[in-house]
Amino acid sequence: MRFKDKIFVVTGGGTGIGSCIAKDLCAEGGIVNILGRRSRELEKIKNQTAGKTVCQGKIIPYTCDISSAEQVNKIFDAILKTTGPVNGLVNNAGVNPSRTDIINTDVTAWKNTLDINLSGAFNCSKAAVKQMLLSGMGSIVNISSIAGISAMQNRTAYSASKAGLIGFARAMAIDFAKNQIRVNCVCPGYIETNLVREYLKSLNKEEFDSLVNAHPLKRLGSAKDISQAVLFLLSSAANWITGAVLPVDGGYSMGKEC
């Protein structure tokens, strides 16, 4: 098991990509603290793994609004006292309340997107790095997006937040390389999660087929596709990788625009 007794935090761990990452880490022996705003969803993931032979670690849920530095700090303090210092952090939590250009992007939607997607990652990373310094090493993976590395229509707030995560990761990677704390980004393409599903439902068959065919691998992604990349970057197999930006998008970002 790659992650036996290692301590992780996964934000947005109650649904979609985050829940898949949490369960995969647990399966490999990790003690996984999942953060999210919906306690029912978090408890559901805990119950799905508790006592299961497939899960060699355990999942601990914490209800938290990561845009609040005060809430984040309290929870990381609780994690430190309960399980010890954090070894790995996955900044996965994200929202996309507006698919609009700048003229039609409401300031509330703009602020909410950056508060969760970018400031939330800042709050959690700051708390995690303080603990990683105690053990002299650590790994952080930011879940960015192909919208953060290439232009996409009507993604003003979302693209800004996801591009910000890339710059944020690279700055941390430089600052803490001397402390053996690695920071990388995974950039998912179109993944069939709740965040994307409503958009996919809005497409007619021709539009949907066109989107699928825009991926050279001729399919949309799954949460498992992202989780496998994240676990690699968290593992010792990636010990010489930091500041990397890894598209996991079926080849979509090689030039096709949406």
Side-chain angles (χ1 to χ4, degrees), residues 118-144:
L118 191 53
S119 294
F122 168 85
N123 293 333
C124 292
S125 297
K126 186 172 184 178
V129 167
K130 289 178 180 178
Q131 295 189 18
M132 290 172 180
L133 289 171
L134 299 176
S135 54
M137 64 185 304
S139 179
I140 297 173
V141 179
N142 289 349
I143 305 299
S144 180

Side-chain angles (χ1 to χ4, degrees), residues 41-79:
E41 299 294 335
L42 298 173
E43 287 293 334
K44 187 186 299 181
I45 301 304
K46 175 188 174 183
N47 294 336
Q48 287 173 358
T49 56
K52 301 293 191 301
T53 55
V54 70
C55 185
Q56 300 300 310
K58 65 178 178 179
I59 287 180
I60 306 170
Y62 289 95
T63 305
C64 177
D65 178 356
I66 62 168
S67 69
S68 166
E70 182 180 4
Q71 288 187 37
V72 167
N73 290 335
K74 284 182 179 179
I75 284 170
F76 272 80
D77 285 345
I79 291 169

Side-chain angles (χ1 to χ4, degrees), residues 97-216:
S98 62
R99 292 177 177 272
T100 53
D101 60 25
I102 191 170
I103 300 298
N104 296 294
T105 299
D106 180 84
V107 68
T108 302
W110 168 266
K111 188 174 186 301
N112 183 43
T113 304
L114 268 69
D115 282 349
I116 298 294
N117 297 6
L118 191 53
S119 294
F122 168 85
N123 293 333
C124 292
S125 297
K126 186 172 184 178
V129 167
K130 289 178 180 178
Q131 295 189 18
M132 290 172 180
L133 289 171
L134 299 176
S135 54
M137 64 185 304
S139 179
I140 297 173
V141 179
N142 289 349
I143 305 299
S144 180
S145 168
I146 56 171
I149 58 177
S150 61
M152 297 183 74
Q153 189 175 16
N154 293 331
R155 303 290 197 282
T156 305
Y158 187 73
S159 290
S161 69
K162 293 300 186 177
L165 279 176
I166 292 173
F168 178 50
R170 284 175 162 167
M172 283 195 295
I174 292 172
D175 289 342
F176 295 101
K178 64 183 180 294
N179 307 106
Q180 300 302 306
I181 296 173
R182 300 181 297 104
V183 191
N184 295 289
C185 274
V186 167
C187 296
Y190 283 91
I191 309 297
E192 294 191 76
T193 63
N194 290 339
L195 190 64
V196 176
R197 201 161 285 125
E198 289 304 312
Y199 168 68
L200 296 177
K201 287 180 181 178
S202 72
L203 303 177
N204 60 38
K205 186 179 185 307
E206 183 179 352
E207 291 169 332
F208 180 80
D209 289 345
S210 177
L211 178 61
V212 171
N213 289 329
H215 299 74

